[in-house]
Amino acid sequence: ITKEVAGDVPLKVINDGEVTALAAFQKIQKGNIMGISMGSSEGGGYSNADGNLMGWINELCYIKLDLNPEAPTDPWTKGNHRGISHMYLGQRGATKLAAKGGVKVPENFVYPHPDMCTIKHEDHAGCLKLIQKAMADPEQEPQVKEIYETCGVYLGYALAQYSEFYPIDHVMILGRVSKGKGGDLMLDTAKKVLAEEFPEYSHIQFHTADDHFKAVGQCIAAAALPTIA
């Protein structure tokens, strides 16, 4: 298959969430680290104390986070599940709050418009850009920042839940949702949630990167995987 797909080009197949964990370990050189990429969806992976992957798929985007019976569903599970992680820790976690957060968006970007409830990511990416632009406007920031604070609450509670199954000492947050001062506010809020609601997990250290690495860090880590003769 390798020859058929890539010819003589070195090829390695790995889940994108695992690449997030490897990117995190490469960046800080510390183990027991959860890497979470908050991008089109949620990419999540875990490296143990030695910085190694565990041999399983950490498909965190399909973990149930919200037990509210009225929690949003998603187009992948087609109404069979509610409160799935990627509706909170990917760009949809922010975009579903855009209109409520005072961001001026086109009518079809107002959740739950049908255009925002498909498997397509493009409209959500466009909506997130409008959120980021509004966050940079001093007049809109006081209301728009509540979107990022809410996403920070999502993240804090998610980390507490993940900690029931993984020994986490560090977490690296990547992905376009974490970019800019809105992303910084989100991380500060998540830390506060852990400190106040889950003090047993307040030791978790948060790590991030510059906006370039946030956007392409997974690609950099993935490119380092194949063995090159």
Side-chain angles (χ1 to χ4, degrees):
I1 295 177
T2 298
K3 286 289 185 181
E4 181 180 334
V5 172
D8 294 328
V9 177
L11 179 68
K12 181 79 171 181
V13 178
I14 188 170
N15 178 270
D16 60 345
E18 310 313 313
V19 174
T20 305
L22 290 177
F25 183 76
Q26 289 179 1
K27 190 71 174 176
I28 71 169
Q29 294 295 302
K30 294 180 180 179
N32 286 345
I33 183 166
M34 178 75 73
I36 298 176
S37 179
M38 301 175 68
S40 299
S41 180
E42 177 196 7
Y46 178 78
S47 292
N48 66 11
D50 298 321
N52 296 319
L53 300 179
M54 302 299 292
W56 57 59
I57 294 177
N58 304 285
E59 196 64 78
L60 299 181
C61 68
Y62 287 111
I63 289 177
K64 190 176 185 72
L65 287 185
D66 190 349
L67 300 181
N68 185 340
E70 300 300 321
T73 185
D74 67 275
W76 285 270
T77 61
K78 299 179 180 180
N80 293 308
H81 298 280
R82 292 181 178 273
I84 302 302
S85 187
H86 70 88
M87 291 295 291
Y88 298 83
L89 299 184
Q91 63 185 3
R92 293 170 193 250
T95 58
K96 73 182 192 309
L97 302 172
K100 291 182 178 180
V103 181
K104 298 178 178 64
V105 296
E107 182 180 347
N108 67 317
F109 282 6
V110 178
Y111 183 84
H113 188 280
D115 287 355
M116 301 297 278
C117 298
T118 74
I119 64 174
K120 290 175 57 180
H121 296 304
E122 292 87 345
D123 287 342
H124 292 276
C127 185
L128 181 61
K129 289 180 179 179
L130 295 178
I131 294 173
Q132 293 167 334
K133 182 178 179 181
M135 186 66 181
D137 181 352
E139 292 187 1
Q140 298 183 70
E141 179 186 352
Q143 185 174 2
V144 176
K145 72 177 185 180
E146 294 181 358
I147 295 174
Y148 287 97
E149 289 172 340
T150 301
C151 288
V153 172
Y154 295 157
L155 179 58
Y157 275 88
L159 287 171
Q161 180 172 326
Y162 297 161
S163 293
E164 295 181 11
F165 306 97
Y166 301 87
I168 302 173
D169 294 324
H170 304 272
V171 60
M172 169 74 82
I173 304 297
L174 302 174
R176 64 176 71 100
V177 178
S178 67
K179 294 174 67 173
K181 62 181 179 180
D184 294 337
L185 177 60
M186 178 181 67
L187 297 190
D188 288 341
T189 304
K191 294 175 190 176
K192 185 177 180 181
V193 168
L194 291 179
E196 295 183 358
E197 301 289 341
F198 305 97
E200 66 272 31
Y201 302 132
S202 62
H203 69 279
I204 295 175
Q205 296 182 42
F206 284 71
H207 305 269
T208 186
D210 58 58
D211 281 354
H212 177 70
F213 193 88
K214 287 177 181 177
V216 300
Q218 287 173 290
C219 299
I220 296 170
L225 290 173
T227 300
I228 299 176

